[in-house]
Amino acid sequence: MRNVTISLDDETARWARVEAARRDKSLSRFVSEVLRDLMTEPDAYERAQQSYLSRKPVPLGTPGQRYPTRDDLHQR
């Protein structure tokens, strides 16, 4: 693990300290986890999207069959 020095404005530093304490973590651990989450977030979204798009579509009915009307679906 590498030590890094960062500069924050007073309001951001105060918020970060409070958030870290609320989660029972050190400020260093909190910032590290936030940055790690931001780093992996796009990858997780893309994996989920690829998983969804790779699935075979499920037909909603038999070919030629009409879909139910809105009133039928909601028993109006």
Side-chain angles (χ1 to χ4, degrees):
M1 192 168 295
R2 185 165 284 229
N3 288 333
V4 177
T5 301
I6 61 171
S7 297
L8 302 172
D9 60 85
D10 291 340
E11 183 181 352
T12 303
R14 190 172 21 263
W15 176 85
R17 280 193 294 271
V18 169
E19 271 305 297
R22 193 174 68 78
R23 297 168 192 230
D24 197 28
K25 296 181 182 193
S26 69
L27 181 57
S28 178
R29 173 68 52 142
F30 174 69
V31 170
S32 175
E33 289 178 3
V34 167
L35 292 175
R36 167 82 45 197
D37 289 346
L38 286 173
M39 182 178 78
T40 59
E41 185 177 281
D43 293 337
Y45 176 82
E46 190 148 326
R47 281 193 310 273
Q49 182 183 34
Q50 290 302 319
S51 172
Y52 174 78
L53 293 175
S54 69
R55 295 181 185 160
K56 194 173 190 175
V58 177
L60 297 175
T62 58
Q65 181 183 12
R66 293 185 61 189
Y67 293 126
T69 66
R70 180 183 174 104
D71 289 336
D72 291 339
L73 290 173
H74 298 284
Q75 299 177 355
R76 293 181 182 167

